[in-house]
Amino acid sequence: MQYKVYGKQNRDVIILLHGGGLSWWNYREVSERLQNDFQIIIPILDGHAGSDENFTTIKDNADEIISFIDMNFGGSVLLIGGLSLGGQILLEMLSQRKSICRFAMVESAAVIPSKLIYSLIKPVFGGCYGLIRQKWFSKLQFRSLRMKPELFNDYYQDTCGITKQNMIAFLQESSMYFIKKSLGECVAEIHLFVGERENKRILFSARKLHETLEKSNLHILPTMYHGEFSINHTDLYVKELFAIVKQH
């Protein structure tokens, strides 16, 4: 796995896990704001542009990042954040290692499996994959994701770098992710973030996680859609992160 690093060594470590179909630039502005206070590490998830492995499973990605933390940071870091697919990988890490981090920021992670979504991914993305390299089509997709316009070049370049096999693999895997029983044993302080205008499956997932993790904190973000918190609202994300770790 490849890693993008900000900040200096010998500082508290924050790991940020980007969303599916995105890459390290998901957290570029956040990392630039945090780099004077922390060491920020952004793994490039398997199967994404710039990665060195094809995507297999959420568990495999979680295993690899846990091994990286074990090897470099003695088995635990200060905080891990994750958006969507990255949030699912974070939940899997917390399920496997209850003390992998002191604080967790889980953003818009689906934990309600959908066989319907799973069954549609291959025909839908298999059929339109050839259009991805067409800028007009990519711009339509980009607009639907509501990311700020200056990220389009990053989005277009990296989307073109994802193979059809990998795109189908991580979308299918994400569509079937569910809460593991062992997640309830997690000792990290968990903060769940979800946009008020996200789809019902994501909103229900946030509530289900909050019910499962009795000591978790649920933050419903007014007027926000999927992914907007970490991608479009750097100031608010950084403010929330500092508020979470302030007791450290």
Side-chain angles (χ1 to χ4, degrees):
M1 189 172 276
Q2 300 294 308
Y3 298 87
K4 183 78 174 176
V5 180
Y6 286 83
K8 296 177 182 175
Q9 292 182 351
N10 303 319
R11 290 190 176 160
D12 286 324
V13 174
I14 291 173
I15 291 179
L16 299 173
L17 308 174
H18 65 77
L22 310 180
S23 193
W24 62 272
W25 46 266
N26 180 157
Y27 290 106
R28 177 169 50 210
E29 285 191 29
V30 167
S31 300
E32 287 170 352
R33 290 281 302 278
L34 296 173
Q35 65 185 345
N36 291 329
D37 298 283
F38 306 99
Q39 184 179 18
I40 319 298
I41 298 171
I42 311 172
I44 299 177
L45 302 179
D46 291 346
H48 289 72
S51 66
D52 54 6
E53 296 285 344
N54 288 322
F55 187 91
T56 50
T57 65
I58 284 171
K59 183 181 182 302
D60 285 346
N61 276 257
D63 288 344
E64 195 163 352
I65 299 164
I66 289 172
S67 295
F68 174 81
I69 292 171
D70 285 346
M71 190 179 298
N72 295 281
F73 305 110
S76 180
V77 296
L78 177 64
L79 180 144
I80 305 176
L83 163 64
S84 197
L85 175 64
Q88 293 172 321
I89 292 169
L90 170 51
L91 291 170
E92 185 65 25
M93 292 169 67
L94 294 168
S95 301
Q96 292 185 42
R97 187 76 67 81
K98 62 183 181 180
S99 57
I100 194 70
C101 58
R102 287 190 57 187
F103 306 99
M105 294 176 70
V106 181
E107 181 184 355
S108 306
V111 294
I112 299 171
S114 172
K115 289 181 179 177
L116 175 61
I117 293 173
Y118 181 93
S119 68
L120 290 172
I121 287 167
K122 190 173 274 189
V124 169
F125 282 88
C128 72
Y129 178 80
L131 292 171
I132 284 172
R133 287 174 173 77
Q134 302 296 322
K135 270 201 172 179
W136 65 268
F137 182 79
S138 194
K139 281 178 180 175
L140 287 176
Q141 278 191 312
F142 181 78
R143 261 187 238 122
S144 73
L145 296 171
R146 297 182 172 85
M147 287 189 273
K148 47 192 172 188
E150 56 265 37
L151 292 176
F152 175 72
N153 287 336
D154 291 308
Y155 171 80
Y156 177 67
Q157 179 180 320
D158 283 3
T159 303
C160 290
I162 301 172
T163 67
K164 180 163 73 171
Q165 170 197 343
N166 279 317
M167 190 170 287
I168 289 171
F170 68 69
L171 288 170
Q172 285 186 329
E173 178 78 357
S174 179
S175 72
M176 295 303 290
Y177 189 72
F178 61 93
I179 297 172
K180 308 300 191 304
K181 248 184 202 177
S182 55
L183 182 62
E185 299 168 15
C186 175
V187 296
E189 181 182 307
I190 299 178
H191 292 259
L192 308 166
F193 294 90
V194 63
E196 182 186 42
R197 294 182 178 173
E198 299 210 45
N199 68 50
K200 286 182 180 178
R201 180 166 164 258
I202 300 291
L203 287 164
F204 288 159
S205 291
R207 294 192 178 102
K208 188 173 181 180
L209 281 166
H210 187 44
E211 289 166 10
T212 302
L213 300 161
E214 293 178 1
K215 294 181 181 178
S216 63
N217 301 273
L218 176 60
H219 309 259
I220 298 176
L221 304 162
T223 74
M224 287 194 203
Y225 291 91
H226 190 73
E228 279 197 274
F229 180 42
S230 58
I231 298 174
N232 291 351
H233 296 275
T234 304
D235 288 349
L236 181 58
Y237 192 93
V238 169
K239 181 182 175 184
E240 290 287 349
L241 188 149
F242 271 113
I244 288 166
V245 302
K246 72 178 185 297
Q247 64 267 47
H248 173 63

